[in-house]
Amino acid sequence: MEQQKAPQVTYLEVGSLVGHNGFVTSIAVSPEQPNTIISSSRDKTVMVWNLTPTDAVSPGKALRSLKGHSHFVQDVVISHDGQFALSGSWDNTLRLWDITKGVSTRLFKGHTQDVMSVAFSSDNRQIISGSRDATIKVWNTLGECKFTLEGPEAHQDWVSCIRFSPNTPTIVSGSWDNKVKIWDIKNFKCNHTLTDHTGYVNTVTISPDGSLCASGGKDQFACLWELSSGKPLYKLEARNTINALAFSPNKYWLSAATDDKIIIWDLLTKQVLAEIVPEVKEQAFDSKKKKESKPKAPACLSLAWSADGSVLYAGYDDNLIRVYKSSSQ
């Protein structure tokens, strides 16, 4: 058996963003607003953070909390001009937010179950959503549903994640039916159904150049696909359930959030570059227990790279966003 090389990059935790009172379900960044990130949480809010990279004490502060959803907020994305945020919630709705004013400007109603994932098209004119009702809906920015992808060609279980290609009229969806689908958004047809996963799919993501798609979930493998043909390329083993995947914006890297660590792969060598396990504070000794229990590391649920690729933001089930920076940077 080939011996795996030792990780080549070290990531250091530079601090945490503290403010959510529930699992951090999603993190969004914007190249237009490099000192702002936005996160969603099971505390029913979307949080806007002001980053302070030069502050030695704290990497950032909560700027404002966007309130309006009546249940867990599962996903949030930022429009490509950096002006608006779009969120999807277990209250079956999507909301469009004016980030600067901190107000919800549009409510999208139509799904009959939890909204799991949302996305903007590259021109910001189309919005898509995936839901536990097994449908994908295509909306305009006025909140009008223009099309629903459903039926025998569509997913047969929860749609857990949906993403737009950055440069073609293509969307990719992942589902708890174990399938990944590639859709043509011009004619609303499914071009390819990818069946390599043996368990439910939690996450799909598309590389910055639009050539690759990666998917992951219960079977513990990140599957890489060619987006144009749907051809399976290779698999990377995470050895734990994959909750989120993110391509680096400027290196040929893929990061995975799992229940026990973050893994960063170099896609040229298929090697693990880094494994990031959060530092956990020792808990006070519990006299009722005979042994001192080792604190359990929190599960990483969401990931986003900074627009310049130097920082990794990670959301956890202990309500924190941890900020990691490469020690070589």
Side-chain angles (χ1 to χ4, degrees):
M1 192 173 144
E2 191 188 328
Q3 200 174 357
Q4 200 156 20
K5 287 181 192 163
Q8 302 150 346
V9 183
T10 306
Y11 274 79
L12 301 174
E13 189 180 319
V14 295
S16 297
L17 301 176
V18 183
H20 278 303
N21 294 311
F23 294 4
V24 182
T25 51
S26 181
I27 303 170
V29 301
S30 167
E32 302 299 317
Q33 312 281 349
N35 284 330
T36 300
I37 67 166
I38 294 185
S39 57
S40 62
S41 168
R42 285 194 170 190
D43 64 12
K44 308 179 191 174
T45 72
V46 171
M47 196 79 84
V48 183
W49 303 87
N50 184 39
L51 302 174
T52 50
T54 54
D55 187 335
V57 181
S58 167
K61 298 272 191 308
L63 190 63
R64 62 179 62 89
S65 179
L66 309 181
K67 296 187 169 102
H69 283 298
S70 60
H71 207 321
F72 302 158
V73 186
Q74 188 65 31
D75 197 17
V76 68
V77 291
I78 302 179
S79 61
H80 298 278
D81 58 7
Q83 301 299 304
F84 292 91
L86 177 69
S87 57
S89 165
W90 287 24
D91 65 11
N92 304 357
T93 71
L94 295 75
R95 281 180 183 267
L96 193 64
W97 306 85
D98 183 313
I99 295 171
T100 312
K101 292 177 182 165
V103 294
S104 175
T105 59
R106 196 79 65 199
L107 180 66
F108 299 68
K109 287 182 170 177
H111 282 296
T112 57
Q113 289 186 49
D114 310 348
V115 178
M116 303 300 288
S117 187
V118 294
F120 276 109
S121 62
S122 53
D123 62 4
N124 294 327
R125 289 169 64 176
Q126 276 184 315
I127 283 167
I128 50 170
S129 56
S131 166
R132 279 204 173 119
D133 63 17
T135 71
I136 296 162
K137 287 187 180 289
V138 183
W139 314 77
N140 63 18
T141 51
L142 301 174
E144 297 164 343
C145 180
K146 291 301 189 186
F147 202 84
T148 301
L149 307 177
E150 59 188 340
E153 270 224 321
H155 289 295
Q156 303 305 307
D157 207 330
W158 300 351
V159 180
S160 52
C161 192
I162 185 143
R163 294 292 174 249
F164 257 106
S165 159
N167 45 22
T168 57
T170 305
I171 60 174
V172 175
S173 58
S175 167
W176 278 46
D177 65 7
N178 304 0
K179 294 182 174 66
V180 174
K181 287 180 180 282
I182 300 173
W183 305 82
D184 185 329
I185 206 69
K186 291 200 302 290
N187 59 16
F188 305 115
K189 290 275 185 288
C190 178
N191 287 347
H192 307 285
T193 299
L194 318 174
T195 57
D196 277 22
H197 283 290
T198 59
Y200 58 74
V201 178
N202 281 328
T203 177
V204 294
T205 188
I206 298 174
S207 61
D209 67 358
S211 67
L212 294 178
C213 160
S215 54
K218 181 67 175 171
D219 67 9
Q220 309 189 357
F221 283 94
C223 290
L224 279 289
W225 320 84
E226 190 175 75
L227 192 62
S228 57
S229 67
K231 189 176 117 198
L233 299 172
Y234 51 89
K235 291 183 176 186
L236 301 165
E237 190 174 6
R239 294 187 173 85
N240 213 324
T241 298
I242 296 172
N243 300 316
L245 290 166
F247 284 100
S248 161
N250 53 7
K251 297 188 180 75
Y252 204 51
W253 294 358
L254 179 68
S255 59
T258 78
D259 283 348
D260 63 349
K261 63 170 109 42
I262 297 167
I263 302 169
I264 301 172
W265 288 287
D266 181 332
L267 297 180
L268 287 173
T269 64
K270 320 285 192 291
Q271 295 286 342
V272 173
L273 276 178
E275 291 189 348
I276 306 169
V277 179
E279 295 167 29
V280 184
K281 304 264 191 306
E282 290 294 329
Q283 289 164 331
F285 182 73
D286 186 348
S287 57
K288 288 177 191 162
K289 291 180 185 169
K290 296 231 167 40
K291 282 185 183 167
E292 193 169 348
S293 59
K294 193 167 181 273
K296 184 178 177 288
C300 187
L301 306 176
S302 48
L303 279 179
W305 294 89
S306 61
D308 65 2
S310 65
V311 178
L312 191 58
Y313 302 100
Y316 286 84
D317 67 359
D318 64 357
N319 311 347
L320 295 180
I321 298 171
R322 288 175 174 80
V323 181
Y324 298 105
K325 200 160 189 189
S326 162
S327 57
S328 58
Q329 282 158 342

